Amino acid sequence: MILSALAFYLFAGIAVLSGLMVITARNPVHSVLFLILAFFNAAGLFVLLGAEFLAMILVVVYVGAVAVLFLFVVMMLDINFAALRRGIRQHLALGLAVGIVLLAELVIVVGAWAVAPEVAAHTAPIVNSAVTATNTQALGAILYTRYIYAFEGSGLILLVAMIGAIVLTHRARAGVRRQVISKQISRSRAETIEVVKVPTGHGI
Amino acid sequence: MMPVPDLIPALPELFLAVAAMVLMMVGVFRADRTSAVVSWLAVLALIVDLVLINRGPLARTVTFNGMFVTEQFAIFMKSLIVVGSAVSIVMARQYNERNRVDRFEFPILILFATIGMQAMVSANDLISLYIGLELQSLSLYVLAAFKRDTVRSTEAGLKYFVLGALSSGMLLFGASLIYGFAGSTNFDQLAKVLSSEAGLGSIGLIIGVVFLSVGLAFKCSAVPFHMWTPDVYEGAPTPVTGFFAVAPKIAALSLFLRVMIEPFGHLVHQWQQIIWAISLASMVLGAYAAISQSNIKRLMAYSSIGHVGYALIGLAAGSAEGVRGVMVYLAVYLVMNLGAFSVILCMERRGESVEEISDLAGLSKSQPMTAAALAIFMFSMAGVPPLAGFVPKFIVFMAAVHAGLIWLAVLGILASVVGCYYYIRVVKLMYFDTPAEALDPTAGGNAVRFVTAVTAVIILLFILIPGPLLATAEAAAASLFQG
């Protein structure tokens, strides 16, 4: 019990601190690295909650894809971060006010949370928690049975997104040299090598 | 283990999805004339799809754990959508070839959009509604920007994408409020919750429904969520505009009908005022804003906004008669618009597409048959009696009167009188103005000319045998009220 409480404070503390570092670090590359640290700690929090599938997804998708994409953007594009940061002092008060309002709203929502009795009457849990061993298995079991229609539909949407990206950006460029292996190995010596007799004292 | 869900009701969608993916493989691996082969195979797939749709179960069938529903209403709407998509592919052939955008992805994206639209029509859950909507919208954004080397087309695609994302956000916000206050995303469950006294009083639920209808109004471009329509219609390649004007409109309106009548049917007094206002605003803006247009595609955009307004009268009535009116309206609207766009596709001068209304001046001298066909479409859109366009207008106005919405009917008729002006202006231009330089007599190609001829004949002769369509629509409308 005490161990999990300690682990919670460790993960939560590091997550908050690295979140702060993301916005205060001078070097944008460091910001992205702190963001990755924050993701890892959030994944740790998910593990503590018993949501190991979400933890894995967080690491795979956010650390593996999104954060690396950010890193690419930061390193490849020449963005002047110092210029972006310039106005921070005069906007600080406004930003803090917005942040405090958001925090207050969140506290109010969480504090006043109540489920309407008529709603609770007809929402039964979809997953039978006694049967399934891990939540990966439980999610898979409903994703491929109960929600198969939505799942396959989403697959089609992603396929269309891929086709769309190709249609709108792909160009068959002229003058690109492609390797054609069959052509390479079917060449005979006679058509590639030419023996030229060069008289002494002359160029070709 | 859960049993495999019943796949038979969703057979048309499954078939079309598999066909689209197979055609994509055909497109990638075939070396020459890919686009033509894929286009015609796509049309074939849509014809098979149409047969499968019409062989589906007539009674209300729910599958995929309540996410998917089909009944006569769905069959009717899906048939219209599939016809619209297939004709759009046929009409696009020559345009795409001439404009060097002849790529095999075009018919494939239309197929994916059609799957999305069929999913919209058959949605029985807020999740499946959203997935169908996004599948359709995403394909349409790409199609709008399909002529990617022109600024106008890319601008149209980007504008549509940004505003479409905004409307999807609103729709999702509404859906999450509905889920939060009713505890379910399933339409049957929602209807059950709302049939009790406790469910009706929830103000959060009503706000959710308002946001949901904003999202849907955006997708069928009803005022005040119409701003994207003229720009996207003008910028998109003409065959794509023709497609936009028919199939997605039908899908969005049938989704609107289903959402309002099935899960939220008990809230009719709440949403009736919203639909009333949207409908009136669309009719009036469609009529007045079209007057000053000089580009024929923008004119068609405003015309389609006006037509959505008339169709929404039937929804505002909230009765089976009104829904029947909307269905007949959409069927006739499909034919009229395909016809009108087939003529617009034929507007070429010295091999270049032209889009100004003034380019049509004197068309009656150079191409009397085309001019006559366009005149038929314009008179029909204006709602002049012997032509097809009059019948659905009459039905929706009667439904409004029977539902006690007499003012809406009166104002609608006045708006339609204003609308006559710009439709008949096109006719006047073709027949009585000094001829402009003649348009190419062979532009458009045989397929497009054939579409013009067939649609014109249907519009002209519909009044003689309206029975079958009206009876089917009546049965289909009744099937929506059983659930």
Side-chain angles (χ1 to χ4, degrees):
Chain A
M1 211 51 224
I2 191 108
L3 194 67
S4 67
L6 276 178
F8 169 76
Y9 285 114
L10 181 72
F11 286 138
I14 297 180
V16 171
L17 282 182
S18 48
L20 267 179
M21 291 305 290
V22 171
I23 53 171
T24 50
R26 286 210 170 273
N27 188 336
V29 177
H30 292 172
S31 285
V32 176
L33 292 177
F34 276 115
L35 190 66
I36 294 175
L37 185 63
F39 284 148
F40 266 113
N41 283 286
L45 289 176
F46 274 129
V47 171
L48 285 181
L49 285 172
E52 73 272 4
F53 184 71
L54 275 183
M56 283 191 301
I57 289 294
L58 195 70
V59 171
V60 171
V61 175
Y62 278 83
V63 178
V66 177
V68 172
L69 189 73
F70 282 169
L71 212 52
F72 264 119
V73 170
V74 167
M75 291 180 150
M76 307 277 276
L77 299 184
D78 188 23
I79 302 169
N80 189 351
F81 286 93
L84 287 179
R85 223 179 273 259
R86 203 160 287 151
I88 194 159
R89 269 177 209 287
Q90 66 235 44
H91 299 306
L92 193 64
L94 185 68
L96 276 180
V98 171
I100 288 168
V101 168
L102 270 179
L103 185 69
E105 280 180 348
L106 270 177
V107 169
I108 292 170
V109 166
V110 172
W113 182 270
V115 177
E118 66 266 25
V119 169
H122 54 80
T123 47
I126 295 164
V127 182
N128 189 349
S129 55
V131 178
T132 48
T134 64
N135 53 37
T136 312
Q137 203 179 355
L139 279 173
I142 57 165
L143 211 53
Y144 288 96
T145 53
R146 187 187 167 91
Y147 291 111
I148 181 74
Y149 181 70
F151 184 74
E152 295 293 335
S154 317
L156 278 185
I157 294 177
L158 292 178
L159 179 63
V160 169
M162 216 158 75
I163 300 173
I166 295 171
V167 166
L168 295 182
T169 56
H170 177 74
R171 282 170 204 280
R173 266 186 248 165
V176 176
R177 288 167 173 245
R178 282 238 175 100
Q179 185 178 26
V180 185
I181 296 175
S182 59
K183 222 182 211 170
Q184 286 178 335
I185 53 183
S186 62
R187 272 166 30 134
S188 68
R189 194 179 133 150
E191 55 188 287
T192 45
I193 296 179
E194 193 184 348
V195 181
V196 185
K197 272 213 158 52
V198 184
T200 321
H202 294 268
I204 297 174
Chain B
M1 280 306 286
M2 284 177 75
V4 177
D6 187 10
L7 298 177
I8 298 300
L11 191 62
E13 286 75 22
L14 295 177
F15 167 76
L16 206 56
V18 173
M21 286 182 255
V22 169
L23 285 184
M24 208 158 63
M25 288 300 120
V26 172
V28 171
F29 287 110
R30 220 189 122 85
D32 59 324
R33 287 184 52 75
T34 338
S35 178
V37 171
V38 174
S39 290
W40 292 112
L41 284 177
V43 173
L44 182 69
L46 285 170
I47 292 170
V48 175
D49 190 46
L50 185 65
V51 173
L52 288 176
I53 288 169
N54 283 289
R55 290 174 64 93
L58 281 179
R60 190 170 193 275
T61 320
V62 177
T63 184
F64 290 116
N65 290 86
M67 284 202 150
F68 185 94
V69 65
T70 175
E71 76 274 76
Q72 274 178 304
F73 173 77
I75 293 177
F76 187 92
M77 289 305 195
K78 285 182 194 173
S79 307
L80 293 186
I81 290 168
V82 169
V83 170
S85 304
V87 175
S88 299
I89 295 179
V90 173
M91 291 208 298
R93 285 295 311 133
Q94 194 177 13
Y95 179 92
N96 283 359
E97 270 175 21
R98 291 253 177 109
N99 288 276
R100 289 183 299 282
V101 285
D102 192 23
R103 308 179 60 184
F104 73 88
E105 286 94 344
F106 184 87
I108 287 178
L109 283 169
I110 287 192
L111 285 189
F112 278 118
T114 311
I115 301 167
M117 288 185 266
Q118 294 190 14
M120 282 162 77
V121 174
S122 276
N124 197 38
D125 192 296
L126 290 174
I127 298 176
S128 43
L129 177 162
Y130 183 67
I131 284 182
L133 197 72
E134 277 308 293
L135 182 56
Q136 176 240 27
S137 311
L138 204 58
S139 318
L140 296 188
Y141 303 147
V142 181
L143 282 173
F146 203 78
K147 214 167 153 187
R148 59 184 188 183
D149 292 325
T150 60
V151 180
R152 285 202 315 176
S153 178
T154 32
E155 184 198 326
L158 191 64
K159 202 172 251 174
Y160 196 13
F161 176 69
V162 172
L163 290 174
L166 180 76
S167 83
S168 290
M170 293 213 210
L171 191 134
L172 279 179
F173 184 57
S176 68
L177 279 176
I178 292 168
Y179 178 56
F181 281 90
S184 176
T185 54
N186 188 276
F187 285 179
D188 302 332
Q189 195 73 38
L190 284 171
K192 216 160 81 190
V193 172
L194 287 172
S195 61
S196 68
E197 277 300 310
L200 279 181
S202 166
I203 187 86
L205 193 63
I206 293 170
I207 294 178
V209 175
V210 170
F211 271 97
L212 193 71
S213 39
V214 167
L216 292 175
F218 183 96
K219 295 293 173 193
C220 58
S221 68
V223 178
F225 310 103
H226 64 286
M227 323 67 119
W228 58 276
T229 321
D231 294 342
V232 171
Y233 276 39
E234 189 189 357
T238 312
V240 175
T241 313
F243 179 60
F244 280 6
V246 291
K249 281 262 154 81
I250 297 172
L253 272 170
S254 46
L255 189 59
F256 220 149
L257 287 180
R258 186 188 289 285
V259 169
M260 289 305 166
I261 303 284
E262 278 194 340
F264 304 120
H266 295 283
L267 288 177
V268 61
H269 294 294
Q270 270 80 11
W271 56 253
Q272 199 168 34
Q273 314 154 17
I274 304 174
I275 305 297
W276 194 96
I278 290 180
S279 159
L280 180 64
S282 309
M283 289 187 294
V284 171
L285 187 119
Y288 280 96
I291 291 175
S292 57
Q293 301 306 321
S294 61
N295 182 299
I296 187 111
K297 279 156 85 179
R298 283 186 90 85
L299 180 91
M300 293 305 291
Y302 283 107
S303 147
S304 85
I305 293 172
H307 283 302
V308 166
Y310 295 115
L312 283 176
I313 293 180
L315 177 58
S319 57
E321 192 193 1
V323 171
R324 169 173 159 241
V326 180
M327 300 177 83
V328 177
Y329 206 111
L330 289 177
V332 173
Y333 172 81
L334 169 77
V335 180
M336 290 190 301
N337 258 281
L338 286 178
F341 273 98
S342 72
V343 176
I344 295 173
L345 275 169
C346 293
M347 286 170 63
E348 274 181 20
R349 186 174 287 144
R350 292 188 296 266
E352 291 286 322
S353 299
V354 288
E355 291 173 359
E356 293 302 304
I357 299 175
S358 54
D359 290 321
L360 287 168
L363 190 70
S364 63
K365 308 279 188 310
S366 57
Q367 299 179 44
M369 294 307 279
T370 314
L374 189 56
I376 288 173
F377 300 135
M378 289 296 152
F379 276 123
S380 172
M381 285 193 188
V384 175
L387 298 166
F390 167 72
V391 179
K393 272 201 175 114
F394 182 74
I395 299 175
V396 290
F397 286 138
M398 283 314 284
V401 170
H402 289 160
L405 305 172
I406 296 172
W407 275 109
L408 185 60
V410 169
L411 294 170
I413 292 168
L414 289 179
S416 118
V417 172
V418 177
C420 279
Y421 168 76
Y422 65 84
Y423 289 126
I424 294 175
R425 184 166 67 115
V426 175
V427 178
K428 174 208 156 226
L429 224 96
M430 289 189 301
Y431 280 89
F432 302 113
D433 276 18
T434 19
E437 191 186 339
L439 297 174
D440 295 354
T442 55
N446 291 335
V448 173
R449 302 266 166 180
F450 181 69
V451 172
T452 314
V454 170
T455 45
V457 168
I458 293 175
I459 294 293
L460 202 57
L461 300 182
F462 175 73
I463 198 77
L464 299 179
I465 31 171
L469 180 70
L470 296 187
T472 321
E474 189 159 13
S479 75
L480 193 64
F481 281 85
Q482 282 161 8

